[in-house]
Amino acid sequence: NAGVTQTPKFQVLKTGQSMTLQCAQDMNHEYMSWYRQDPGMGLRLIHYSVGAGITDQGEVPNGYNVSRSTTEDFPLRLLSAAPSQTSVYFCASSSLQGGTNEKLFFGSGTQLSVL
Amino acid sequence: GENVEQHPSTLSVQEGDSAVIKCTYSDSASNYFPWYKQELGKGSQLIIDIRSNVGEKKDQRIAVTLNKTAKHFSLHITETQPEDSAVYFCAATDNYGQNFVFGPGTRLSVLP
């Protein structure tokens, strides 16, 4: 049981490049989400999904796209990277029991630098 | 929308002492308040949580208290150990109860 798996762990991009951060979970969780973590600002929600085919924006969605074609996978795409997107990115999932979101399971993070 | 503040941003304690981290929230409709621990290079893990119909919850050396009237909740760690050193995040549910708003985090250092 791997839990939530994120790849890559580290990535350096040049301004304007695109890339996809991968996230997979093997717990059959309905809810999946992406956060970015910046010093002094905690975890801020980028996008989330409550099931396959359903995605929605969080607090800071600009510059990021997501899709949820399967229950297991929730990739985050940066279409044209900017230095402001330098951050640590975390994927998290949970089981929506009765529609209530409680315990989040986090991946180990991706440290992204945009030069 | 919900806003969560957390204090202090850094906290150093001697091994064996207690540590207290405090959070305030703005939305009186929030009804679930988890605490997460993030160790260096790892994702966050849930360590304790509390629902709005409970005033206090304890799990071994860790306890959380909630004051709904004042809209604040606190994490208490007793008999601290070096392995308690980490960044701790509090959170509250957002307007729809589906997502979480996190505090900015507290870096706890337990000195041997």
Side-chain angles (χ1 to χ4, degrees):
Chain A
N1 191 341
V4 179
T5 303
Q6 277 184 248
T7 56
K9 289 189 179 299
F10 302 95
Q11 183 71 48
V12 178
L13 292 177
K14 294 181 179 179
T15 297
Q17 286 185 317
S18 62
M19 78 158 296
T20 299
L21 280 63
Q22 302 291 345
C23 176
Q25 53 90 11
D26 60 1
M27 297 172 281
N28 201 31
H29 284 167
E30 302 93 339
Y31 179 91
M32 296 187 73
S33 56
W34 278 100
Y35 290 87
R36 59 177 289 172
Q37 182 176 348
D38 301 293
M41 302 187 74
L43 295 155
R44 292 184 293 167
L45 183 64
I46 304 171
H47 285 285
Y48 68 97
S49 168
V50 297
I54 305 169
T55 63
D56 209 342
Q57 296 181 349
E59 179 186 355
V60 288
N62 292 341
Y64 307 95
N65 277 354
V66 291
S67 60
R68 184 92 182 270
S69 56
T70 66
T71 300
E72 295 79 18
D73 300 298
F74 191 46
L76 178 72
R77 298 183 183 86
L78 283 70
L79 301 178
S80 179
S84 60
Q85 293 178 305
T86 294
S87 188
V88 182
Y89 292 84
F90 289 97
C91 178
S93 71
S94 70
S95 174
L96 289 174
Q97 297 180 356
T100 301
N101 195 0
E102 294 193 345
K103 183 176 182 179
L104 287 174
F105 291 80
F106 282 86
S108 58
T110 296
Q111 189 165 328
L112 175 67
S113 295
V114 182
L115 306 178
Chain B
E2 177 68 279
N3 182 51
V4 177
E5 297 184 354
Q6 183 173 347
H7 299 281
S9 57
T10 61
L11 178 61
S12 293
V13 298
Q14 292 293 134
E15 183 177 356
D17 286 351
S18 296
V20 180
I21 303 170
K22 298 181 179 180
C23 288
T24 60
Y25 61 99
S26 61
D27 189 349
S28 57
S30 292
N31 58 11
Y32 176 69
F33 307 92
W35 284 89
Y36 284 84
K37 175 183 181 182
Q38 185 182 74
E39 296 177 275
L40 191 63
K42 298 182 180 179
S44 300
Q45 287 191 309
L46 179 72
I47 56 171
I48 196 166
D49 56 12
I50 192 167
R51 292 177 178 80
S52 58
N53 59 350
V54 176
E56 183 175 359
K57 182 177 179 180
K58 189 173 181 180
D59 183 4
Q60 298 183 351
R61 297 186 297 109
I62 295 174
V64 56
T65 58
L66 171 66
N67 184 326
K68 286 175 56 180
T69 303
K71 289 189 280 187
H72 66 71
F73 56 112
S74 300
L75 177 71
H76 305 255
I77 305 174
T78 59
E79 301 172 19
T80 53
Q81 301 167 3
E83 51 265 38
D84 294 328
S85 295
V87 178
Y88 291 82
F89 292 100
C90 62
T93 47
D94 69 0
N95 297 3
Y96 305 101
Q98 197 165 66
N99 297 309
F100 296 101
V101 177
F102 284 83
T106 296
R107 182 174 299 278
L108 173 65
S109 299
V110 179
L111 309 174

